[in-house]
Amino acid sequence: MNLNVTEQIIIKLLEEVGELVMTHFGKLTEYSLKSKNDIVTKLDKEAEKVIIECITSNFSEHSIFSEEDGLTEKKSEYKWIIDPIDGTINYYSGISPFRIALCLLKNDEPIFSAIYNPVRKDVYIARKGGGAFKNGRKMQVSENTDLKDFVVMTHLSSKNDARNTVISSLNKVFNEVLQIRILGSGSASLSYIADGKYDVFYNVNTHLWDILPGSLIVEEAGGKVTDVFGNKITINSTSILASNGIMHEKLVELIK
């Protein structure tokens, strides 16, 4: 597996998919409901189709697990995790942030991630043990050391139990930090942590495609990523707490 070649293929793919989604940005008039508060558009499906076709063409032996199409299992140690548009409601509404996100696993461990912001044409890339980069510039998480200076991001799930869990934690967290933001895109939130813009993101009852691409990028930028109980992120994780690594254990206690 040549990650140099892989990276070039994926960057070109992201630019192609980014151009596709931006052509329709702010112009969509229809969506379908996946659940009561969760939507999908034709562009989610079209973008995913382009991504899957590219991966199938270039990495035919790899498994693929995508948000809309589900799992295509192959007898391979490699698996791609795909989120064609993370932040679909933002995208449908003609606002940002939203992201295109991919992650390559080897034996269920992330080894390569790519997140793309098609509005600004920013490419976030990370390799396991190789650092994290934005448009070729090495990224580093923030150096804030005091919770009172932290900006925390979270997400309100379409699932009642998950949403209520986050809501019940918000007042306790807010009392300790500078501000809380809800951006509507987990991958965007994680890219901001990796780039040192904000300090923390947490979410509960979420999915692999919402967790893994950004997790590797944050870790390779010097941050820390666990589930909300402080455990290592795995393919079975359903929650995430990502931070600049400072006061992470304190944050675990606050959110619990």
Side-chain angles (χ1 to χ4, degrees):
M1 190 72 196
N2 187 326
L3 288 182
N4 289 325
V5 174
T6 299
E7 181 174 319
Q8 293 308 309
I9 291 170
I10 295 304
I11 289 175
K12 184 177 179 181
L13 169 64
L14 290 173
E15 290 170 346
E16 177 186 351
V17 176
E19 186 175 341
L20 169 66
V21 301
M22 289 307 296
T23 298
H24 299 270
F25 183 47
K27 301 176 183 178
L28 297 180
T29 57
E30 295 180 353
Y31 63 80
S32 301
L33 282 172
K34 292 199 291 186
S35 63
K36 181 178 180 296
N37 303 107
D38 197 8
I39 71 171
V40 62
T41 72
K42 67 177 184 179
L43 263 297
D44 290 86
K45 296 177 180 179
E46 288 180 20
E48 185 175 83
K49 181 181 178 182
V50 172
I51 295 170
I52 291 173
E53 286 177 351
C54 177
I55 291 175
T56 301
S57 174
N58 288 281
F59 312 101
S60 58
E61 74 281 9
H62 292 187
S63 299
I64 299 173
F65 189 25
S66 57
E67 179 177 8
E68 308 305 335
D69 204 46
L71 177 63
T72 301
E73 189 77 65
K74 303 283 185 69
K75 292 183 178 179
S76 172
E77 60 186 346
Y78 294 102
K79 180 185 294 180
W80 289 90
I81 307 298
I82 300 170
D83 194 343
I85 301 178
D86 181 25
T88 298
I89 290 178
N90 288 349
Y91 174 72
Y92 173 78
S93 302
I95 62 172
S96 60
F98 59 92
R99 298 288 189 269
I100 303 162
L102 298 92
C103 184
L104 175 62
L105 311 182
K106 180 179 181 180
N107 296 322
D108 293 335
E109 291 286 338
I111 61 168
F112 172 82
S113 281
I115 292 176
Y116 189 55
N117 176 357
V119 175
R120 299 178 60 91
K121 298 184 178 179
D122 289 331
V123 183
Y124 300 83
I125 294 285
R127 301 185 196 181
K128 185 69 174 178
F133 297 84
K134 176 185 176 183
N135 302 329
R137 172 184 60 81
K138 188 172 176 59
M139 290 189 294
Q140 180 67 37
V141 295
S142 78
E143 297 180 350
N144 287 336
T145 60
D146 196 321
L147 280 179
K148 67 179 178 59
D149 298 318
F150 279 35
V151 175
V152 175
M153 297 167 288
T154 190
H155 180 75
L156 292 181
S157 173
S158 58
K159 304 177 183 69
N160 283 334
D161 289 347
R163 184 170 60 253
N164 290 334
T165 297
V166 171
I167 289 171
S168 69
S169 71
L170 285 177
N171 193 53
K172 188 165 55 170
V173 173
F174 213 133
N175 287 336
E176 300 286 342
V177 303
L178 176 64
Q179 191 54 264
I180 290 178
R181 291 285 181 264
I182 299 176
L183 304 182
S185 168
S187 290
S189 300
L190 292 166
S191 67
Y192 292 145
I193 293 175
D195 202 23
K197 305 301 185 185
Y198 288 158
D199 308 285
V200 180
F201 173 69
Y202 74 101
N203 192 12
V204 300
N205 202 352
T206 187
H207 305 283
L208 279 184
W209 49 83
D210 296 317
I211 294 175
L212 292 183
S215 293
L216 181 62
I217 292 174
V218 170
E219 289 174 342
E220 289 299 321
K224 185 169 183 176
V225 184
T226 66
D227 67 14
V228 294
F229 302 103
N231 303 310
K232 175 179 164 47
I233 290 289
T234 72
I235 60 165
N236 298 312
S237 297
T238 58
S239 68
I240 183 171
L241 170 61
S243 76
N244 66 357
I246 303 168
M247 305 297 292
H248 194 91
E249 287 70 26
K250 172 68 173 176
L251 290 161
V252 170
E253 293 304 316
L254 276 176
I255 292 166
K256 280 199 300 187

